[in-house]
């Protein structure tokens, strides 16, 4: 996998689509004593505390699941700490007893489900960059769940539907256009790999392709409603690596799903509309989970990506 570009770029006509996560513009640091400083408790602080607790509990356990949770939640904690320290807002007072690290994989499973839920609930209301960060963390938790039955598998992502009442501005339009380009590429990939995969994967390929067709249609409807002509697919795309057998086919599918997560995270990064963020979050989580399943099939390490859609 190559690193994601920090600025949005249109897909090449002759190369395989690699839509990168659209990095948010840097926000000036708020001076703690200056005018406009927000003295309300930082809503990311509880997420940071939970990530630290989960990582500590997982590190004290053994097994592949504990190791994966430790690495992923440590990455979440590091990203959250950077953002919390950047704004330097008051930390909310903790109510009730202090959080206790999990003492078993079952405990990790429960905490992971709670962390995902807390992150998902915050995405609609946060400022853009923070919304993208927290959405990526929610998707990382969902990917971890998908990686093992011992971690509960977790709920599937919600349906990706045209958001009611959403109005696309120029930024949002460009982001949805890139999401559409990623969906076109993913549909093409699923069509390509079907010739290289055993019959046992026929249903998985059909489900994946079908989901991307639905999302393509959603993007086209949003763009048409905004007065834009939805761009069509390329005639073909050039995979980053030759596809010659089942493993390389699975790796290409995982790459396509990763590109899709980056494109939909870009939508969250570039809109303030809560309904549109909800649609993008469902797409992000869905592709993060589907990509995890394919990564497991060809033995990728790690199986679950800690921060889906973010630059490597």
């Amino acid at each position: 996998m190559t690193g994601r570009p920090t600025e949005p770029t249109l897909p090449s006509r002759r190369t395989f689509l690699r839509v990168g996560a659209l990095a948010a513009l840097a926000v000036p640091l708020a001076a703690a004593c200056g005018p406009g400083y927000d003295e309300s408790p930082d809503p990311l602080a509880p997420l940071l505390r939970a990530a630290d607790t989960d990582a500590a509990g997982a590190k004290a356990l053994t097994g592949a699941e504990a190791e994966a949770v430790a690495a992923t939640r440590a990455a979440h904690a590091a990203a959250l700490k950077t953002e919390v320290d950047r704004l330097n807002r008051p930390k909310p007072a903790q109510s009730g007893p202090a959080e206790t690290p999990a003492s078993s994989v079952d405990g990790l499973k429960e905490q992971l489900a709670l962390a995902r839920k807390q992150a998902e609930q915050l995405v609609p209301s946060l400022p853009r960059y923070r919304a993208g960060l927290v959405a990526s963390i929610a998707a990382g938790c969902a990917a971890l769940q998908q990686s093992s039955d011992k971690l509960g598998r977790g709920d599937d992502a919600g349906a990706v539907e045209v958001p009611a009442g959403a109005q696309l501005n120029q930024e949002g339009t460009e982001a949805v256009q890139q999401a559409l380009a990623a969906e076109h590429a993913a549909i093409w990939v699923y069509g390509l790999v079907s010739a290289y995969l055993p019959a046992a994967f026929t249903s998985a390929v059909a489900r994946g392709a079908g989901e991307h067709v639905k999302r393509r249609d959603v993007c086209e409807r949003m763009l048409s409603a905004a007065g834009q002509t939805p761009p069509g697919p390329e005639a073909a795309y050039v995979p980053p690596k030759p596809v010659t057998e089942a493993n390389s086919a699975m790796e290409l599918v995982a790459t396509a799903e990763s590109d899709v997560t980056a494109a939909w995270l870009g939508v969250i990064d570039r809109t303030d509309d809560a309904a549109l963020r909800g649609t993008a979050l469902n797409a992000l989580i869905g592709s993060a989970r589907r990509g995890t399943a394919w990564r497991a099939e060809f033995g990728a390490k790690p199986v679950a990506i800690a921060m889906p859609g973010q630059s490597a």
Side-chain angles (χ1 to χ4, degrees), residues 3-305:
R4 301 281 180 258
T6 57
E7 294 295 333
T9 56
L10 292 178
S12 166
R13 289 270 166 181
R14 295 184 178 179
T15 59
F16 177 73
L17 176 67
R18 281 192 175 90
V19 178
L22 305 176
L25 297 177
V27 181
L29 287 173
C33 298
Y37 174 63
D38 190 346
E39 296 184 357
S40 61
D42 194 324
L44 299 195
L47 271 64
L48 170 56
R49 188 165 56 242
D52 275 332
T53 300
D54 292 350
K59 287 177 183 177
L61 301 174
T62 59
E65 287 78 15
E67 182 178 343
V69 171
T72 294
R73 295 298 278 154
H76 294 171
L80 287 165
K81 186 176 189 305
T82 296
E83 176 60 16
V84 168
D85 289 349
R86 183 182 72 84
L87 288 192
N88 194 30
R89 286 168 60 177
K91 310 300 187 292
Q94 182 170 329
S95 59
E99 295 180 12
T100 302
S103 58
S104 66
V105 173
D106 281 344
L108 290 178
K109 176 178 71 175
E110 294 175 4
Q111 292 184 341
L112 197 58
L114 179 59
R116 173 183 169 181
K117 181 178 179 181
Q118 289 174 329
E120 287 179 353
Q121 290 174 339
L122 279 177
V123 170
S125 60
L126 290 170
R128 290 187 183 185
Y129 171 71
R130 290 187 144 206
L133 171 66
V134 173
S136 183
I137 288 171
C141 291
L144 264 182
Q145 290 176 312
Q146 176 67 41
S147 69
S148 172
D149 287 330
K150 292 182 179 180
L151 294 176
R153 294 294 181 185
D155 295 331
D156 288 334
V160 177
E161 300 174 334
V162 176
Q167 299 293 322
L168 292 182
N169 58 15
Q170 181 176 350
E171 279 190 300
T173 297
E174 291 173 355
V176 172
Q177 286 173 332
Q178 292 204 2
L180 174 57
E183 296 296 350
H184 280 317
I187 293 167
W188 182 87
V189 165
Y190 274 96
L192 172 69
V193 301
S194 61
Y196 296 91
L197 295 173
F201 291 92
T202 300
S203 294
V205 169
R207 288 194 302 271
E211 178 60 28
H212 289 292
V213 167
K214 290 178 183 178
R215 295 186 197 175
R216 176 203 65 192
D217 294 347
V218 166
C219 291
E220 289 178 342
R221 289 171 62 190
M222 284 194 286
L223 291 169
S224 295
Q228 301 294 318
T229 300
E234 310 302 337
Y237 301 83
V238 179
K241 297 179 182 179
V243 177
T244 57
E245 35 67 51
N247 273 8
S248 58
M250 294 174 195
E251 184 175 1
L252 180 60
V253 176
T255 298
E257 294 291 359
S258 179
D259 290 342
V260 171
T261 65
W264 284 104
L265 184 62
V267 175
I268 295 173
D269 281 341
R270 302 181 74 186
T271 185
D272 298 312
D273 187 276
L276 180 54
R277 284 186 183 181
T279 292
L281 179 63
N282 286 343
L284 167 64
I285 289 175
S287 278
R289 287 172 61 83
R290 190 173 297 106
T292 298
W294 285 105
R295 287 171 64 83
E297 290 291 346
F298 71 87
K301 299 296 182 183
V303 173
I305 296 173

